[in-house]
Amino acid sequence: MSGVVDFRIQLEDASANSIGVSGNPLFTSGGGGSGSLLDPYALNDLDGTDPLYIGKATSSGVWLLQNYSTSAGTMRYANLSNNPSYASYASAWAARGTLTYGLFQTLTGV
């Protein structure tokens, strides 16, 4: 994958196969009864290219940060459950490069 990626359109996986919008790490279905655990989260911040840090929070202040490695094609997640020292979104975002990230299924409180 080369150049700038328009996250509204598509991504490519590690084999350069196009991934549609629903495979996009920034994509959320927008609710409508889809049942996605990420539906309540709104995008707050983006930083970097590889890794790309994605900062999200709910209206009640529950935060979720994502670390997307374009070179490895992996997404890892951080929230209060694997980073208990960061109670607020602002403190977590400020420490995004040093947070503990893990697989989505290992998080609690999502």
Side-chain angles (χ1 to χ4, degrees), residues 8-100:
R8 296 169 299 171
I9 298 172
Q10 71 178 31
L11 287 178
E12 294 176 350
D13 64 17
S15 300
N17 297 312
S18 180
I19 300 171
V21 173
S22 61
N24 182 324
L26 302 179
F27 176 80
T28 58
S29 66
S34 69
S36 171
L37 292 174
L38 298 180
D39 282 351
Y41 292 88
L43 179 64
N44 281 344
D45 296 292
L46 294 173
D47 179 44
T49 54
D50 194 8
L52 171 64
Y53 294 99
I54 305 162
K56 297 179 179 181
T58 66
S59 60
S60 62
V62 177
W63 61 269
L64 176 72
L65 269 59
Q66 296 169 264
N67 176 320
Y68 179 68
S69 171
T70 56
S71 59
T74 58
M75 179 75 75
R76 297 295 181 258
Y77 301 84
N79 75 352
L80 189 61
S81 70
N82 58 354
N83 294 278
S85 299
Y86 300 94
S88 72
Y89 172 82
S91 66
W93 182 252
R96 63 191 169 275
T98 59
L99 293 178
T100 299

